[in-house]
Each structure stands twice: as structure tokens, then as C-alpha cells.
Amino acid sequence: MTILTGPPRDAIRNQPISDELTRVLQTAAEAAGIDMIRINSGGQDPPGPGARRTGSTRHDHGRAADVQCVVGGSTLTFTDQSAPEAIVTFVSAAAAAGATGIGAGVGYMGNRTIHVGFGVSTSDHSQLTWGAGGRSATAPQWLRDAAAAGWAAPAPAPPQPAPAAAPGRFVVIARDGLKLRGGPGTSFGSERTLPAGTELTVVARSAVDPAWVRVDVEGDGLLDGYVFAAFLAPVAPDDLHEHAPEPRPGDN
């Protein structure tokens, strides 16, 4: 399962992306063999006094993200003339999965960052690509071709969540840690990140979105929140024995 990181807290658009966009990015990254999607710019504040906003309304409600693709620890790059196969596949798969607005270009956001999202509003379903200056005419040809191929193709099946459904002990395997959220989705806030290696108890899958599970982190039988199941792995039986309490005299 591809890891999604960001957006940075100090970014202007530092709000979570929508569940729909998360699904699109995960699906596209899996199809392209991308190890990690780095979100440099995510959702933005709603209009109002003191709101952190910039550019168009595409990023409202977390419906767009500016991302970089990482494979083997290296961020993939492209030019206006060509792009690696993984980038082309990512764009095509994102379009096939439902993205309708895709922008890239050296003169747009540099040679690493791609805009992926939807329309300027929830009622805007127009399919567009663009490049420098945010203009369709400047979109690199490889970007146009990749997106067009995706929009003409049937949507790929979304990635299946890891089998972390059954109640039991699990361990966090996300390299950068796993956010503990107040509900089953990235739209719910998170005030805590569980470091890699953290053990917890999965209580049940979410009835709203089975890709998320309810967990007890403290081991006290109380629910602490929800985490994304794909970044959990079952605790090995030997590890369970290591953490088992020592028998007391008279227990046998």
C-alpha cells in the first residue's frame, strides 16, 4: 500500500484532502508502483476572515492536491517533453479513477510536482489538463495523452485494504507514523501520530468505511480513535508471548 504524507503544517493549504481524492491517489499510485505520495499542498480553509487560501477554489474541501511521486526513496522528475513511465501511468490511472483536473509542467510547479484533483466546484465535472500559467494550451503533450487515455479507460479497481479487520493485536508499520483520527476518514482531525512500531488493539472495522478500524492504543479497553488499516500488521505470536504477564505463584 502506498504511503501518503503531508501536507506540511506550515503550508498555506495545510488541510486534509478528501476521502475521494485519497482513493484516487492511492489507486493511481498502486497502478504505477509508487512507494509514497508526498502532498505538498492539500485542502485550504473556507473563505472568511483570517483564512489561509491561495489560488483557485479547486483545493476547497480537500478536493485537490499538489503531489510528488517517490519510488525507492527518490522523487521522480519530468520535463515538458517527456516523463518516466511511472509518472505517465500515475496520471492515466488518476484520470481513470475519477480525477478531472490534472496540471503539470516545468513552468507551472517545477519538474516534480503534479496537481491532481477535481473541478472548481462540486458541480464542475469538466476534464482538463494544464501547464505553465494554468493554461490548457501549455500542458505538456505527455500529460495530455496520459490523462486522455485514463479518461477513455474504465476505472481501475480501488486498492483493497489490508486484512486488519479481525480484533486482535497489531503493530504500526508506516515509516513516518500513523495518524490517530477521531473518525473513519482523513476529514476527521488528528492530534496524535502513532510512531512506527506502536502496538495497539484493533477492536472492529468501521461500518462507514471498512478501510478504517477502531483501536485501543492504551490497552485499557477504551476506544482511542481510528487508524487506516493498510498500515497495520498483525503482531507475531512470539511477540505476544514476550509481552504476556509473568505467571504469579498460585496461578497454576
Side-chain angles (χ1 to χ4, degrees), residues 137-207:
T138 61
Q141 191 61 50
W142 63 262
L143 180 70
R144 298 185 196 184
D145 293 343
W151 288 325
Q160 297 300 310
R169 294 290 290 174
F170 289 82
V171 61
V172 174
I173 59 173
R175 185 184 305 277
D176 296 328
L178 183 60
K179 291 185 182 298
L180 180 68
R181 297 188 179 274
T186 56
S187 60
F188 292 89
S190 170
E191 297 182 356
R192 181 179 177 187
T193 298
L194 306 177
T198 299
E199 291 190 15
L200 49 77
T201 299
V202 169
V203 178
R205 272 198 189 277
S206 165

Side-chain angles (χ1 to χ4, degrees), residues 23-24 26-31 93 96-97 154-161:
R23 178 189 62 79
V24 168
Q26 286 279 10
T27 300
E30 290 291 320
Q160 297 300 310

Side-chain angles (χ1 to χ4, degrees), residues 39-163:
I39 302 172
N40 293 335
S41 180
Q44 63 184 354
D45 294 348
R52 294 165 61 90
R53 298 176 59 84
T54 185
S56 76
T57 58
R58 289 183 182 272
H59 287 259
D60 287 2
H61 309 294
R63 287 170 44 81
D66 302 331
V67 306
Q68 296 178 348
C69 300
V70 180
V71 175
S74 298
T75 303
L76 300 182
T77 62
F78 51 81
T79 68
D80 287 336
Q81 289 71 43
S82 64
E85 181 179 354
I87 290 286
V88 173
T89 301
F90 172 78
V91 170
S92 290
T100 57
I102 305 176
V106 176
Y108 176 49
M109 290 191 295
N111 67 345
R112 298 183 177 192
T113 306
I114 303 172
H115 173 103
V116 181
F118 308 107
V120 295
S121 69
T122 55
S123 60
D124 176 16
H125 303 292
S126 54
Q127 297 173 336
L128 296 173
T129 56
W130 60 85
R135 298 170 54 228
S136 295
T138 61
Q141 191 61 50
W142 63 262
L143 180 70
R144 298 185 196 184
D145 293 343
W151 288 325
Q160 297 300 310

Side-chain angles (χ1 to χ4, degrees), residues 245-252:
E246 292 292 331
R248 296 172 299 178
D251 283 351
N252 296 327

